[in-house]
Amino acid sequence: MAGRSFRGLQVVAVMRAQDSAVDGSADASRALVAFDPIGRCAEHLETSTFQGWKTWYVDRADDAREIVQREGILVGIAVIDRTMGKDLAQLEALGADGICEWIAIANAESIADSVVRNLVVRLFHDYHTWPVDSIRLRQCIGHAWGKARLRRDAFRDDSQPEQYGMIGRSAPMLALYRRIERIVQVDAPVLIAGESGSGKELVARAIHRHSLRSKGPFVAVNCGAFPSGLIQSELFGHERGAFTGAHQRKTGSIEAASGGVLFLDEIGDLPIEHQVNLLRVLQERIIHRVGSTQAIDVDLRVVAASHVDLQQAVDAGRFREDLHYRLNVLHVEVPPLRDRGADIALLAERLFQRFASERRGNAKGFGDDALRALEAHHWPGNVRELANRVHQAVVMSERRLLSAADLGLASVEDSPGGHSLSHARLSLDRSIIDRSLRMNGNNVTRTARQLGISRVTLHRMLNRLNIRA
Ligand SMILES: Nc1ncnc2c1ncn2[C@@H]1O[C@H](COP(=O)(O)OP(=O)(O)OP(=O)(O)O)[C@@H](O)[C@H]1O
Ligand SMILES: [Mg+2]
């Protein structure tokens, strides 16, 4: 079995058998459940390797991701090989998201390959080479599991709904935190994509605050905010007398950001004729102030954000491909609010508390129809829109419990076709909560935690759905 090279991808997702026990108590048998259609791990690993771990065997990265998410799995094992080609790219997504820790198994030639090596260094907790020392692998699984559990508990901690200054514990937000966690450990350029108001600037500030450059400045420039004639001097600065009206020497944003982070917001709005100058900065790390021939060294990390799809802008000839390539070394996608599930209510509650503490009013919280409307709304303006609606409602409403109308939203029952939609939602809510309660032995705290909502919200939903825990 030594040194065998495997084509294709095999991913084994592992969880402690006791974690899957229905009532949370230890599973006495700690049986190994192995689904292994190709039979490679089963063939080449000692049977005792995964003993005590409930084990799924899959041969597609998509399936691995689905199982990891569905079962809340904390440790994954990926058998990788340099002949995998496209599958290696799929592993990229697996390793970068969520809280699961991944362990690679590869043969020595594969590890010597720079693509595989890079992937392993960036994304994996550890790696093993064939022939695998099963004792070492078992220890490694234990360590990885412990580490992932710590991370999961930190994310789930009700007293800590924020990570990196952002509120949210939904799966897409956990994936975002995980990405940030990795990004702050390196110094490469970052491109942040996401709809307007979704939190791109918060992410940029978090990257600065948690990176090695946190002691240096954070300088934000909105690339769409300046007329074309002024951008050059805004970014690069100018000497006195460089042009009419340049009465004083001015330090540009790039120079001001030296030692820290330059945040180029709305980079898609940077006129194409200025893009080449920025490209040069990224390549050569020197600038010239307008009206000067003196080269100034700059040492900065560029974090750019755009709500427009830059690849499309490249295709349309509005954005230089080489600049896109330089900026997009590390990519972050901030999820739209509508995809964040229970985070919508969580954010609404937090924003409500913030605004209500600024003003003594009647409102004590949200009514049921408001919560339903928050959940059903499409949120084109994302978190900023939510904040505005909650602020407006807190200031204007005379009610004890804010209604959908206070938030400027249609009541779900009122909207055309709303009746059937709300019915569908209620029955879906009921079945999910029912199942989770059963899995958690009717324990409300554990159920709320599993569903990613607060106990208060769960109690409210139990009342509304007429479920007795
Ligand atoms: N997860 C979050 N938790 C708390 N507040 C948030 C979160 N996401 C965004 N916000 C708040 O929402 C507002 C919009 O966020 P931000 O400015 O970072 O978004 P953006 O994506 O840069 O928006 P735009 O595209 O309009 O520039 C800010 O007030 C920010 O503090
Ligand atoms: Mg912004």
Side-chain angles (χ1 to χ4, degrees):
M1 84 182 188
R4 280 267 305 261
S5 162
F6 299 139
R7 289 198 134 268
L9 166 69
Q10 183 177 47
V11 185
V12 188
V14 178
M15 82 192 286
R16 271 258 155 107
Q18 67 197 55
D19 273 6
S20 66
V22 170
D23 61 358
S25 63
D27 178 345
S29 67
R30 287 164 63 91
L32 181 79
V33 181
F35 171 59
D36 183 13
I38 318 172
R40 282 176 186 160
C41 259
E43 202 179 315
H44 297 283
L45 286 178
E46 280 176 29
T47 44
S48 61
T49 311
F50 299 144
Q51 203 168 8
W53 298 89
K54 183 170 177 179
T55 308
W56 281 262
Y57 291 89
V58 290
D59 56 7
R60 284 165 23 100
D62 280 351
D63 295 343
R65 180 185 285 150
E66 202 238 288
I67 290 173
V68 163
Q69 281 186 0
R70 194 184 67 214
E71 306 289 337
I73 282 169
L74 298 177
V75 189
I77 298 194
V79 177
I80 59 175
D81 188 271
R82 67 193 152 136
T83 60
M84 278 164 51
K86 262 196 190 144
D87 285 336
L88 278 176
Q90 291 191 320
L91 273 179
E92 182 94 25
L94 261 187
D97 290 347
I99 49 183
C100 181
E101 286 287 338
W102 287 90
I103 298 165
I105 304 182
N107 56 24
E109 303 99 82
S110 291
I111 291 287
D113 184 274
S114 65
V115 176
V116 175
R117 194 172 54 225
N118 266 332
L119 195 81
V120 169
V121 168
R122 277 186 302 114
L123 302 173
F124 287 81
H125 175 81
D126 198 358
Y127 75 95
H128 296 252
T129 45
W130 300 105
V132 169
D133 174 343
S134 68
I135 296 178
R136 214 192 121 228
L137 180 57
R138 279 181 67 80
Q139 284 170 344
C140 181
I141 292 172
H143 287 157
W145 179 76
K147 185 172 165 200
R149 197 174 55 149
L150 277 182
R151 186 188 288 118
R152 181 198 64 189
D153 292 350
F155 285 155
R156 278 184 176 177
D157 187 349
D158 274 10
S159 62
Q160 251 195 330
E162 290 188 21
Q163 291 281 321
Y164 297 112
M166 277 167 272
I167 296 168
R169 290 194 298 263
S170 59
M173 288 304 281
L174 294 190
L176 175 66
Y177 302 149
R178 181 76 192 275
R179 241 189 142 78
I180 295 174
E181 191 182 313
R182 292 183 186 277
I183 281 174
V184 297
Q185 290 164 23
V186 292
D187 203 38
V190 185
L191 182 62
I192 306 171
E195 293 182 9
S196 118
S198 57
K200 296 186 292 298
E201 183 157 350
L202 275 190
V203 170
R205 289 183 184 277
I207 290 171
H208 168 248
R209 216 172 34 251
H210 290 84
S211 71
L212 290 170
R213 293 181 176 272
S214 61
K215 299 256 182 322
F218 177 88
V219 178
V221 187
N222 186 330
C223 300
F226 299 94
S228 180
L230 286 184
I231 290 178
Q232 190 70 0
S233 118
E234 181 60 34
L235 287 174
F236 293 83
H238 61 246
E239 293 295 337
R240 187 170 166 205
F243 48 84
T244 327
H247 300 305
Q248 297 211 339
R249 187 162 114 180
K250 176 184 153 78
T251 306
S253 309
I254 298 176
E255 199 179 333
S258 200
V261 168
L262 177 68
F263 176 48
L264 295 171
D265 202 2
E266 299 310 347
I267 187 77
D269 292 343
L270 187 67
I272 193 134
E273 65 271 23
H274 292 287
Q275 292 172 12
V276 66
N277 299 328
L278 186 59
L279 180 69
R280 217 167 286 141
V281 178
L282 288 168
Q283 283 169 341
E284 294 163 19
R285 309 262 149 198
I286 52 167
I287 59 159
H288 297 92
R289 295 193 193 117
V290 178
S292 163
T293 50
Q294 189 202 341
I296 302 170
D297 291 322
V298 286
D299 160 36
L300 45 78
R301 182 178 202 183
V302 172
V303 177
S306 173
H307 76 278
V308 295
D309 183 339
L310 279 192
Q311 186 55 55
Q312 272 179 20
V314 169
D315 296 344
R318 276 179 281 109
F319 205 83
R320 290 182 68 107
E321 186 165 20
D322 44 11
L323 181 58
H324 180 229
Y325 179 73
R326 281 272 171 180
L327 293 170
N328 197 23
V329 179
L330 299 168
H331 188 87
V332 185
E333 198 85 38
V334 184
L337 183 61
R338 77 187 72 87
D339 289 350
R340 297 190 208 168
D343 280 355
I344 300 174
L346 181 69
L347 266 162
E349 301 258 1
R350 297 280 154 162
L351 291 163
F352 171 83
Q353 283 159 11
R354 186 191 304 165
F355 297 132
S357 70
E358 289 167 2
R359 175 186 183 275
R360 278 182 43 207
N362 294 329
K364 297 280 177 278
F366 297 95
D368 275 354
D369 78 319
L371 288 173
R372 276 198 299 275
L374 285 170
E375 215 179 297
H377 187 54
H378 192 64
W379 299 111
N382 293 289
V383 185
R384 182 175 295 115
E385 178 188 353
L386 175 63
N388 290 345
R389 287 186 186 276
V390 174
H391 199 174
Q392 152 111 355
V394 168
V395 171
M396 302 305 289
S397 175
E398 301 290 330
R399 272 184 257 262
R400 253 177 74 80
L401 291 180
L402 299 176
S403 67
D406 291 327
L407 291 162
L409 298 173
S411 184
V412 174
E413 280 75 10
D414 294 347
S415 59
H419 192 67
S420 59
L421 179 65
S422 68
H423 254 77
R425 273 181 198 283
L426 287 180
S427 88
L428 185 64
D429 283 356
R430 183 173 286 119
S431 74
I432 291 171
I433 292 174
D434 247 6
R435 187 168 149 252
S436 179
L437 274 170
R438 266 185 281 120
M439 279 178 72
N440 289 292
N442 263 349
N443 181 308
V444 172
T445 306
R446 282 210 300 267
T447 303
R449 197 170 285 168
Q450 185 181 48
L451 295 171
I453 56 179
S454 70
R455 288 185 55 210
V456 178
T457 308
L458 179 58
H459 274 298
R460 199 182 291 129
M461 294 182 84
L462 292 174
N463 277 339
R464 173 154 57 91
L465 299 168
N466 219 355
I467 301 174
R468 290 181 55 186

